Amino acid sequence: MADNEMIRRERQGDVLVVTLDRPDRLNAATPAMFETIAEALSDLEGARAVLLTGAGRGFCSGADVGGGALNAADPGLATYEALTTSYNPTVRAVIDLDVPVVSAVRGPAAGIGCSLALAADICVASESAYFLQAFVNIGLVPDGGASWMLPRLIGRARALEMMLLGERVPAAKALDWGLIHRVVADDALDAEALALATRLAAGPTVALGLIRRGVAAALESTLDTALEREAQDQRRARGTADSMEGGMAFLSKRKPDFRGR
C-alpha cells in the first residue's frame, strides 16, 4: 500500500512501523486516517510485530473536530457513523491482530488517540507525553473503547477520574497508575519503542498472538472457560516449529532462534 498524506507505513526488519503523519495538527485523526491505518494493518506482509507512533510533537490529539460532524445536518448521526465505520473498526483491528503491538507516545494521546495508544500490548511514553479523556469538556462521552479499556487497566475509580474530570494524566502518573508500561526520555522514545517491537518480532509469533488474544478473552470469561481456552491454545502452540526450537534450545542451553511459525 502506498503512503498517503495521513500515515506512513514502513518496515524496520520484521517490524511494521505505522506513523500517524499530520504533525501540523498534532496528528488529529480523521475517519479517513483511521481507515488508512486499518488498511495498513490488514496486510502485514510477513511482519511479526507492529509499532504505532506519531510524527512530530504528538501521538494523536484526538478526532479532528474542525469539520465533519460539526458541519453535518445531524451531528449526532455523523459522529455515530464515523465511530462505527472508521474509528471503532480500527481500534478493533489493532486488538485482533495476530502479532504483538507496541505504541510509542510523545505529547498528547487524547480522545480516540488515547484509545489507539492503549489498544497496543505495550505502550511506551516519553516524559513529555500525557493521556487525556477530554470529552466531558465539550459535552461528549468517551469513545473508541475507552469505557471498556480504562477500568480494566486502572480500575473504576481512576477511570472515572480521567473521564469525569477531563484532566491530563502525565506520563509519570500514567505509569504509576498502571495505564502504560514504560516512560523514557523524550530523545530515547523512538529507539526504545523500536527495540521492544524488534524483540517481540523475534519471538514465537504464534504463541505471542495466542497470548494477547487469550488475555483479551479471559477478561470476559469464567475461570473454567479460560482454562479450556489455555489448553486449546497450548495444544496449538505445542505443534509449532517455534515450540520445537524453544525446547531444543532449552535442552542445549542456547538462545532459541524463533522464525514465527
Side-chain angles (χ1 to χ4, degrees), residues 15 51-52 102-105 124 184 188-198:
V15 178
L51 173 58
L52 297 173
V102 175
S103 59
V105 177
V124 185
V184 299
L189 176 65
D190 295 334
E192 181 75 10
L194 181 59
L196 279 168
T198 300

Side-chain angles (χ1 to χ4, degrees), residues 9-211:
R9 167 184 167 144
E10 58 185 323
R11 281 285 291 271
Q12 295 280 346
D14 287 326
V15 178
L16 174 64
V17 181
V18 177
T19 304
L20 283 61
D21 194 22
R22 298 183 75 204
D24 56 319
R25 299 296 303 275
L26 289 175
N27 301 315
T30 65
M33 173 195 271
F34 264 54
E35 290 167 11
T36 307
I37 294 170
E39 183 183 350
L41 298 177
S42 68
D43 183 4
L44 298 178
E45 297 180 351
R48 294 166 59 190
V50 171
L51 173 58
L52 297 173
T53 187
R57 298 181 294 111
F59 177 76
C60 176
S61 58
D64 189 339
V65 297
L70 285 179
N71 298 322
D74 185 340
L77 177 61
T79 299
Y80 174 84
E81 290 178 344
L83 284 167
T84 56
T85 63
S86 302
Y87 295 118
N88 291 352
T90 301
V91 172
R92 184 84 241 186
V94 173
I95 292 171
D96 287 345
L97 281 176
D98 289 330
V99 302
V101 182
V102 175
S103 59
V105 177
R106 59 166 51 85
I112 192 66
C114 183
S115 293
L116 181 65
L118 299 180
D121 304 302
I122 297 179
C123 179
V124 185
S126 73
E127 292 172 338
S128 67
Y130 62 88
F131 300 81
L132 177 63
Q133 292 289 310
F135 297 95
V136 70
N137 298 328
I138 54 174
L140 294 176
V141 301
D143 60 28
S147 64
W148 186 90
M149 284 188 271
L150 289 174
R152 287 165 170 77
L153 288 168
I154 57 178
R156 179 179 182 272
R158 285 169 171 165
L160 284 172
E161 179 178 337
M162 282 189 73
M163 294 188 282
L164 294 178
L165 299 183
E167 297 174 346
R168 296 182 181 186
V169 177
K173 179 183 283 190
L175 180 65
D176 181 61
W177 280 5
L179 184 67
I180 62 175
H181 305 83
R182 194 170 299 184
V183 176
V184 299
D186 285 12
D187 60 3
L189 176 65
D190 295 334
E192 181 75 10
L194 181 59
L196 279 168
T198 300
R199 175 179 173 179
L200 290 167
T205 306
V206 174
L208 292 174
L210 291 171
I211 289 169

